[in-house]
Amino acid sequence: AAGVIQSPRHLIKEKRETATLKCYPIPRHDTVYWYQQGPGQDPQFLISFYEKMQSDKGSIPDRFSAQQFSDYHSELNMSSLELGDSALYFCASSPRGSGGPQSYEQYFGPGTRLTVT
Amino acid sequence: AQTVTQSQPEMSVQEAETVTLSCTYDTSENNYYLFWYKQPPSRQMILVIRQEAYKQQNATENRFSVNFQKAAKSFSLKISDSQLGDTAMYFCAFTPIYNFNKFYFGSGTKLNVKP
């Protein structure tokens, strides 16, 4: 079965640089979520999109922005990178519009490991 | 506010034995979903099991089962016949039905299955 695809898998950037993370949800999934997981931490919700509209916003810094495109893929743009942004960034998708219990399940991608030096 | 608490940072179990991971949560919502996710060393987050709060019957998925106590706001995961491949970080997660825009995660329990 198709899974959530994230690219790149690894990214190394220097302080003050910008980074763009991409997420391709499972086909027919209309909702995308972004999470940040620091070392030894649980995933922290950043932002979500449903049908290309921002659905909810969590602890996302103002330096970060995201959007969902017409093909449902999503991009997380990170500017003025700081050392503290080094983390594993997960994208998850769900079939929210389908209704039923399965619409509440989130399927995670393999993550993008961002290292800021 | 919604909070999820996993009070066991780390646990060990012998292969083929049974282990129970604890999770409690706090919410004023009546309708919600609870999940257990597994994160092995590869760091991939894998859905283990889902429980609907409106269902009294505990969910089961092969060797994985839950003990859902709604009044006590408790949601434990039981792993039977533990296997080496079960070694992973396990996260309990909660999402309210009114707003299934995000998961609230617990801090995780690291499970070590020993041969």
Side-chain angles (χ1 to χ4, degrees), chain A residues 44-88:
Chain A
Q44 295 293 313
F45 172 74
L46 293 177
I47 196 167
S48 63
F49 293 88
Y50 168 58
E51 283 292 346
K52 292 151 279 185
M53 298 288 289
Q54 182 179 307
S55 183
D56 196 6
K57 202 169 182 180
S59 51
I60 184 170
D62 292 340
R63 299 178 288 108
F64 294 5
S65 65
Q67 57 181 324
Q68 185 179 31
F69 294 86
S70 58
D71 63 352
Y72 294 98
H73 94 273
S74 178
E75 295 183 4
L76 177 66
N77 298 293
M78 311 161 71
S79 62
S80 302
L81 287 169
E82 302 173 357
L83 295 177
D85 296 329
S86 294
L88 189 58

Side-chain angles (χ1 to χ4, degrees), chain B residues 49-112:
Chain B
I49 201 164
R50 178 193 76 227
Q51 175 75 44
E52 295 95 68
Y54 57 85
K55 283 189 175 180
Q56 290 187 332
Q57 185 175 7
N58 289 322
T60 63
E61 285 289 341
N62 301 313
R63 298 183 295 107
F64 299 88
S65 61
V66 300
N67 183 3
F68 173 51
Q69 302 290 328
K70 190 172 184 180
K73 295 181 181 175
S74 170
F75 181 60
S76 61
L77 174 70
K78 185 171 83 170
I79 306 174
S80 304
D81 186 25
S82 297
Q83 300 175 0
L84 296 178
D86 295 334
T87 292
M89 195 76 167
Y90 286 81
F91 290 98
C92 177
F94 164 98
T95 187
I97 283 182
Y98 78 86
N99 178 13
F100 53 119
N101 291 322
K102 60 186 174 186
F103 277 3
Y104 298 87
F105 283 97
S107 54
T109 295
K110 182 170 169 51
L111 177 66
N112 298 300

Side-chain angles (χ1 to χ4, degrees), chain B residues 5-74:
Chain B
T5 302
Q6 293 179 249
S7 58
Q8 304 152 315
E10 189 163 357
M11 296 187 72
S12 294
V13 64
Q14 291 294 132
E15 198 175 5
E17 292 188 345
T18 296
V19 65
T20 299
L21 309 183
S22 301
C23 172
T24 58
Y25 57 94
D26 188 22
T27 182
S28 57
E29 299 299 322
N30 190 47
N31 292 318
Y32 47 86
Y33 285 84
L34 294 160
F35 303 87
W36 279 96
Y37 277 83
K38 167 185 176 180
Q39 188 176 40
S42 67
R43 304 298 300 276
Q44 174 79 55
M45 292 285 283
I46 302 166
L47 175 63
V48 175
I49 201 164
R50 178 193 76 227
Q51 175 75 44
E52 295 95 68
Y54 57 85
K55 283 189 175 180
Q56 290 187 332
Q57 185 175 7
N58 289 322
T60 63
E61 285 289 341
N62 301 313
R63 298 183 295 107
F64 299 88
S65 61
V66 300
N67 183 3
F68 173 51
Q69 302 290 328
K70 190 172 184 180
K73 295 181 181 175
S74 170

